Amino acid sequence: YFQPKQPFILRAKRVLTQIYQLPEQLGQNKGSAYVRSRLIIYGLKELSNHYFFGVGAGNAETHLATYSEKLGGVLNLHNWWAEILVNYGVFIFLGYLLFYLGLVKELTGICRRGSLTSRRLAESLVISLTSFPLACIGPSVLIHQRYLWFLFAFALAVLNYNRQTERLSKDSKGEFNDEDSNSFPSLSKQCQSDGRDFCSPTGGGTC
């Protein structure tokens, strides 16, 4: 049956209570926090057993099945960062991290010097990306969620849009400068060959 959605205050209180209980759960070797910490520890152990090259895409749960009794039957890492590191290895993890930080850096630059439209889009994306590191440690499986890849795709689209806008702006300014640099020297040389000091570019050849 349909359950009414709880008010925001009650949901926020429940989340804060869970956060407050994390140290207690870790100290008493029970609860979600303890299981998640064990998952990361055993995941890193399997990573080291595979020379830090990763256990293979989607194979983390298979390797964690060895510790099923110690983990209470929970095999999913429940941490996006740990999932990438354990499944794909250190090098892929570092590449992904550089990609993520590069997006944040480029979008932060657009917030400072981009056009009005680009700044508004970049500001919303920076807020989303800076909150992403904490938000991604909650879901059990994130790789299949479309909104994750939509976020990265939208960020790349904004970067491309800003670059195209800057390029068009430079080209529009460069056309006038190129015309001046190409036409005025030729007119001045013509005037000098005629023995005159000045030639007007709009005077129909009047010097």
Side-chain angles (χ1 to χ4, degrees), residues 2-119:
F2 176 76
Q3 293 182 348
K5 194 173 183 179
Q6 293 181 346
F8 174 77
I9 297 178
L10 295 179
R11 286 182 289 159
K13 182 180 179 180
R14 185 180 61 182
V15 172
L16 293 175
T17 302
Q18 293 175 350
I19 295 175
Y20 179 78
Q21 293 176 349
L22 289 179
E24 181 181 355
Q25 293 178 2
L26 291 173
Q28 296 180 0
N29 297 340
K30 67 176 184 179
S32 176
Y34 173 75
V35 175
R36 289 172 183 266
S37 64
R38 295 290 99 183
L39 284 167
I40 295 176
I41 292 174
Y42 291 129
L44 294 177
K45 183 178 180 180
E46 287 298 318
L47 177 66
S48 64
N49 291 338
H50 289 77
Y51 307 100
F52 298 96
F53 285 102
V55 299
N59 291 333
E61 295 184 10
T62 303
H63 290 274
L64 289 176
T66 308
Y67 316 97
S68 179
E69 295 182 0
K70 299 179 181 180
L71 296 172
V74 181
L75 302 179
N76 192 282
L77 286 168
H78 286 75
N79 189 310
W80 174 243
W81 302 108
E83 188 176 346
I84 295 177
L85 179 60
V86 175
N87 281 325
Y88 302 99
V90 174
F91 295 105
I92 300 297
F93 176 79
L94 292 177
Y96 177 82
L97 186 61
L98 290 175
F99 166 75
Y100 169 78
L101 295 177
L103 283 181
V104 176
K105 180 182 178 181
E106 292 292 330
L107 290 170
T108 303
I110 294 177
C111 292
R112 299 175 180 175
R113 64 178 185 274
S115 62
L116 179 60
T117 302
S118 298
R119 288 201 307 270

Side-chain angles (χ1 to χ4, degrees), residues 127-177:
I127 294 174
S128 299
L129 289 173
T130 51
S131 61
F132 174 74
L134 292 178
C136 69
I137 63 176
S140 58
V141 178
L142 195 59
I143 193 171
H144 302 299
Q145 303 298 328
R146 296 180 180 178
Y147 59 80
L148 168 65
W149 308 112
F150 283 154
L151 176 62
F152 291 142
F154 188 40
L156 292 173
V158 171
L159 291 179
N160 184 63
Y161 170 78
N162 183 71
R163 289 174 183 172
Q164 294 294 333
T165 303
E166 290 182 348
R167 184 178 302 174
L168 291 175
S169 178
K170 290 180 181 179
D171 291 344
S172 62
K173 294 179 181 179
E175 289 177 359
F176 177 78
N177 294 332

